């Protein structure tokens, strides 16, 4: 599966991780780096786990880490991003945000008739790369129409989208 030559994963969880990495690249206007981390629990070391690392920028005082897990498709995607030029990464990130807008627009439009909103959100966000990009000027405007829906459905979603992630997603 490719998207402008990008090795996009087929697994929905991995696709959402890739979307988060591209969203952060768009937000910070920098390329991600792939880094290994280890966890030490009870004297034992576990790992390596991979993270997409975004360095500090003048507008962002703290670096940002996005957890990618053990080696897998999202790790390969970030490796591929790190090899590309900054301009290519930012163009892909800009296009991903436009696709994300289209996905969120679809979620808001179809949420009232869905029996399982969590499944709708997971499927739609995973398919964000396949939807036509939206031409909306701002991402925030879309969810301002339905802020209660966004908080009640995306807020308690423990797997990938906590309320904190939603806030970061809508920060611009």
């Amino acid at each position: 599966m490719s998207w402008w030559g990008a090795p996009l994963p087929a697994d929905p969880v991995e696709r959402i991780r890739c979307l988060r990495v591209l969203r952060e690249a768009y937000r910070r206007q920098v390329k991600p780096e792939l880094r290994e981390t280890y966890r030490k629990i009870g004297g034992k070391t576990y790992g390596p786990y991979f993270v997409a690392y975004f360095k500090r920028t003048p507008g962002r005082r703290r670096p940002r880490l996005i957890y990618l897990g053990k080696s897998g498709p999202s790790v390969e995607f970030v490796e591929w991003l790190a090899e590309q030029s900054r301009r290519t990464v930012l163009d892909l990130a800009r296009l991903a945000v436009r696709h994300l807008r289209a996905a969120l627009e679809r979620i808001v439009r179809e949420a009232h008739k869905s029996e399982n909103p969590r499944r709708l959100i997971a499927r739609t966000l995973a398919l964000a790369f396949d939807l036509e990009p939206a031409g909306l000027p701002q991402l925030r405007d879309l969810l301002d129409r339905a802020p209660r829906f966004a908080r009640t459905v995306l807020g308690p979603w423990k797997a990938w989208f906590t309320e904190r992630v939603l806030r970061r997603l809508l920060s611009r």
Side-chain angles (χ1 to χ4, degrees):
M1 186 172 280
S2 67
W3 189 64
W4 280 18
L8 287 177
D11 180 28
V13 177
E14 299 289 333
R15 279 184 144 217
I16 291 172
R17 284 181 180 159
C18 294
L19 191 62
R20 288 177 61 202
V21 168
L22 286 172
R23 171 66 181 117
E24 193 65 26
Y26 175 78
R27 207 169 143 224
R28 290 181 180 255
Q29 297 292 305
V30 294
K31 287 180 8 174
E33 298 174 22
L34 187 66
R35 293 205 175 169
E36 287 183 3
T37 61
Y38 295 86
R39 294 182 180 166
K40 198 166 195 170
I41 301 171
K44 291 186 178 181
T45 304
Y46 298 94
Y49 299 99
F50 293 96
V51 294
Y53 175 80
F54 293 90
K55 60 185 178 183
R56 293 187 308 187
T57 59
R60 310 267 184 229
R61 291 187 2 233
R62 294 178 181 231
R64 171 89 164 102
L65 299 174
I66 296 177
Y67 175 77
L68 302 173
K70 296 215 175 207
S71 62
S74 58
V75 174
E76 292 169 10
F77 178 75
V78 174
E79 280 178 342
W80 181 83
L81 274 182
E83 294 171 359
Q84 303 303 311
S85 69
R86 182 177 179 270
R87 182 174 177 88
T88 303
V89 171
L90 295 181
D91 285 345
L92 285 172
R94 191 174 303 113
L95 186 61
V97 168
R98 290 183 63 209
H99 280 261
L100 178 61
R101 289 176 186 150
L104 290 174
E105 187 175 67
R106 183 175 175 182
I107 289 170
V108 171
R109 193 172 49 242
E110 296 180 10
H112 67 280
K113 54 187 168 182
S114 174
E115 292 179 16
N116 189 344
R118 284 185 177 191
R119 182 172 288 170
L120 169 72
I121 292 167
R123 286 182 178 168
T124 309
L125 289 176
L127 292 172
F129 294 107
D130 301 330
L131 297 173
E132 285 295 317
L136 296 176
Q138 290 183 357
L139 185 61
R140 184 178 288 278
D141 293 345
L142 183 63
L143 285 180
D144 279 345
R145 289 186 241 149
R148 185 172 296 142
F149 165 75
R151 277 194 219 99
T152 56
V153 176
L154 297 181
W157 194 3
K158 295 178 183 173
W160 317 293
F161 265 74
T162 61
E163 189 174 23
R164 182 175 174 194
V165 173
L166 178 66
R167 268 190 267 126
R168 287 177 185 247
L169 206 102
L170 300 174
S171 66
R172 218 171 219 191

